[in-house]
Amino acid sequence: MFSRAVKIFTLQGFDIRLDPSWLLIATLITWTLSRQYFPQVVEGQPETTYLLMALFAMLAFFGSLILHELAHSVVARFYGVKIKSITLFLFGGVAELEAEPEEASVEFWVALAGPAMSVALAAMFWFLARVGQFAGLGAPITEVLSYLGLINLVLALFNLVPAFPLDGGRVLRAYLWHRSGDVLSATKIAANSGSTFAYVLMALGLLLLFGGQTASGLWQIFIGIFLLLAARSGYEQQLMKTSLRGKTVQSLMSKNPVTCHPDITLSMLVNRIMLVQRSSFVPVVEDGVLLGLVDSHVLSLIDQENWSNTKVGDVFIATDTNNCVPPDMPVQDLLNRITATGQRKYLVAVGHTLLGVVTLSDLLGYINLFNTLHTKERTIWPNARSG
């Protein structure tokens, strides 16, 4: 997700990374605090003082974000959920899980850990601000501490909104999951809540734009868009995980695919097989032995006027681990390979015996059908029972 993020240090065994987009929000926060917020709450200070206050507050705020995500990560690790890293980016921070929790109770406690940390930090900064006032440390210091107390409280409350993928949305999903036992249905409801909240944020952003508050309005809209995409992505990922659980390549492959002999010409291949079958991917088989494949990419490398005198056997791609998978491979592993390599079509074989072909379209078609039937089951079955 954050391919350009750079590791800056390790904390409690977790890599803390910085995405380049963080520089934009860090600069925006520093500018807003030094030019607008602190000059209003602490009057009569030099510009350098306001800048130093803003820089310290910005760094402490992102330190608080790291601790918020670290709380998620420590609790997740306690329950055996692996964390890739903690990354700061444009919209805050995120603990990147290698896999979603397998139990509702784990999801619940992992989700609550972050807001709990933010509430604790808010109380700590508020206490330090009061101590600073009592000790006469000066307005610049106490106001920075007060700001950090306030912003951590806001962070906790915002994250507790029951809108997936916010922490509150994950708590909602955990509750629904525990009650129904259906993680996909729970994810869909929580994701719908997240989408609704995202639209509300965008609507408020538009109102701010019309009210002349351009920066605040745009920021609300950007956050809304980010949450909307994240909610939809979260549901799609859970849909894939649920629908493909326990499935192997053999269960989803297309059996008895049309094949071609290595002695036919490319013109015959195109006109008699690919166009007729509407297939851009054809296995090459001779006397029952799988040799390889030929696809539209191979054809694109050869001038069309040479197709009539070029045989498939001269240009096909031989079978290897890059284009051939075993029938017992878990479908999730195949999907991971497709994501990593970008290759969308594979031969399914044992040795040199062709069993079928499997494509990304096969996987997506199955996932879409699963989603359609799952939705109908959830909406129709209760009525059937009540009748």
Side-chain angles (χ1 to χ4, degrees):
M1 181 178 180
F2 301 103
S3 58
R4 298 180 299 168
V6 178
K7 176 182 173 182
I8 51 176
F9 61 89
T10 300
L11 182 63
Q12 291 291 312
F14 301 105
D15 290 340
I16 311 300
R17 305 196 307 159
L18 206 62
D19 188 79
S21 63
W22 173 83
L23 296 174
L24 177 61
I25 187 59
T27 301
L28 179 61
I29 290 176
T30 303
W31 183 86
T32 303
L33 291 177
S34 64
R35 293 291 183 177
Q36 299 178 16
Y37 181 78
F38 286 134
Q40 292 178 1
V41 297
V42 185
E43 297 180 351
Q45 301 294 323
E47 289 189 3
T48 52
T49 299
Y50 293 133
L51 180 59
L52 289 174
M53 292 171 66
L55 284 172
F56 179 82
M58 180 271 293
L59 292 174
F61 170 59
F62 280 104
S64 299
L65 279 178
I66 291 175
L67 292 177
H68 176 108
E69 299 301 333
L70 183 65
H72 287 308
S73 303
V74 170
V75 175
R77 182 169 60 186
F78 175 80
Y79 284 107
V81 180
K82 294 183 179 180
I83 303 293
K84 293 181 181 179
S85 60
I86 297 172
T87 304
L88 295 177
F89 70 117
L90 178 62
F91 295 106
V94 61
E96 297 185 81
L97 282 66
E98 288 190 5
E100 292 288 335
E102 295 293 334
E103 298 178 16
S105 59
V106 175
E107 170 94 307
F108 179 83
W109 292 115
V110 172
L112 275 186
M117 173 61 77
S118 293
V119 169
L121 290 172
M124 181 192 73
F125 283 121
W126 181 86
F127 176 76
L128 291 176
R130 302 291 80 78
V131 170
Q133 286 179 336
F134 181 78
L137 294 181
I141 294 177
T142 57
E143 288 300 335
V144 168
L145 293 172
S146 295
Y147 166 79
L148 291 171
L150 175 63
I151 199 65
N152 273 283
L153 180 60
V154 170
L155 178 65
L157 294 177
F158 179 79
N159 273 280
L160 284 173
V161 173
F164 190 84
L166 296 178
D167 297 333
R170 291 186 175 275
V171 170
L172 173 62
R173 180 171 77 161
Y175 167 73
L176 296 171
W177 180 6
H178 173 74
R179 190 180 68 174
S180 68
D182 188 342
V183 63
L184 181 59
S185 178
T187 303
K188 187 170 187 176
I189 294 173
N192 286 339
S193 176
S195 298
T196 300
F197 182 61
Y199 285 124
V200 170
L201 285 179
M202 288 187 280
L204 291 175
L206 288 174
L207 290 176
L208 290 173
L209 282 178
F210 290 133
Q213 301 182 50
T214 305
S216 298
L218 288 175
W219 186 242
Q220 292 269 55
I221 292 172
F222 288 150
I223 292 178
I225 293 172
F226 171 75
L227 289 178
L228 179 63
L229 295 177
R232 291 177 176 176
S233 175
Y235 174 69
E236 290 170 357
Q237 290 177 9
Q238 187 60 56
L239 173 62
M240 286 192 292
K241 179 180 178 181
T242 302
S243 62
L244 300 180
R245 182 181 289 118
K247 296 292 182 181
T248 62
V249 167
Q250 187 169 20
S251 64
L252 297 185
M253 70 181 184
S254 299
K255 300 178 181 179
N256 303 315
V258 175
T259 64
C260 67
H261 194 276
D263 286 340
I264 69 170
T265 65
L266 296 185
S267 293
M268 295 172 64
L269 170 68
V270 170
N271 295 317
R272 297 184 183 181
I273 298 178
M274 299 181 87
L275 291 177
V276 173
Q277 299 295 328
R278 296 181 178 84
S279 174
S280 62
F281 174 90
V282 182
V284 181
V285 177
E286 182 177 19
D287 298 330
V289 177
L290 175 64
L291 302 178
L293 65 95
V294 62
D295 58 15
S296 55
H297 176 68
V298 172
L299 293 171
S300 69
L301 301 177
I302 302 169
D303 293 335
Q304 189 168 344
E305 57 265 25
N306 294 325
W307 286 1
S308 60
N309 53 29
T310 303
K311 292 185 177 181
V312 168
D314 297 327
V315 297
F316 75 89
I317 302 171
T319 56
D320 58 26
T321 55
N322 294 321
N323 56 40
C324 192
V325 296
D328 59 352
M329 170 183 276
V331 174
Q332 186 61 56
D333 290 351
L334 175 62
L335 191 60
N336 293 338
R337 179 184 293 192
I338 292 173
T339 302
T341 64
Q343 184 163 323
R344 303 156 65 95
K345 302 178 180 181
Y346 291 86
L347 302 166
V348 183
V350 175
H352 288 283
T353 301
L354 178 68
L355 301 180
V357 296
V358 64
T359 69
L360 179 60
S361 295
D362 293 329
L363 305 189
L364 295 180
Y366 176 81
I367 292 170
N368 289 334
L369 179 60
F370 180 93
N371 184 39
T372 300
L373 296 177
H374 185 274
T375 301
K376 288 184 177 180
E377 179 186 359
R378 301 297 298 180
T379 56
I380 296 175
W381 175 241
N383 294 332
R385 288 196 300 176
S386 63

